[in-house]
Amino acid sequence: ASQQAVNLAAATQTLTAAQSGQRFVGAVDAVFTLPAASAATKGVWYEFECGALSTGTGLSISPAAADHIRGNGLTSVDNKDLINTGATDRLGDSVDLYCDGVDGWVISGIVGTFAKEA
């Protein structure tokens, strides 16, 4: 069996399609920028985990300006981050996302409290 690549204490970074299938364990107030939805990114997926408690903004996942993150009862709005805020974060909170190749990103699994950027 193969092992999943795990990026520990990952700080703010822009992700690539080549990193599909990896788990990013965020350091304090990390921001992960997703690649734009396109035919080339359809099926790309990532896992994100809260690896450090925050008193600030927490862990943020940022789609491209023309993309949204939908699922888990959240309103689908372009260019709004998905945030595990410092007010409610717990170690191990996590979210799994995949790209639909057209409109953006879909939540396929979630643990903890995540909200959309205001």
Side-chain angles (χ1 to χ4, degrees), residues 64-114:
D67 293 343
H68 62 238
I69 299 173
R70 69 179 186 272
N72 199 47
L74 298 172
T75 304
S76 178
V77 179
D78 285 347
N79 201 26
K80 294 292 183 183
D81 291 8
L82 183 63
I83 302 170
N84 182 222
T85 177
T88 59
D89 66 358
R90 298 175 128 186
L91 291 178
D93 283 356
S94 63
V95 64
D96 304 342
L97 301 173
Y98 72 88
C99 185
D100 68 8
V102 179
D103 299 315
W105 296 83
V106 182
I107 296 169
S108 58
I110 194 163
V111 174
T113 303
F114 284 80

Side-chain angles (χ1 to χ4, degrees), residues 21-44:
Q22 294 186 21
R23 184 169 193 90
F24 295 88
V25 181
V28 173
D29 300 332
V31 177
F32 297 101
T33 301
L34 300 168
S38 68
T41 56
K42 183 176 182 179
V44 167

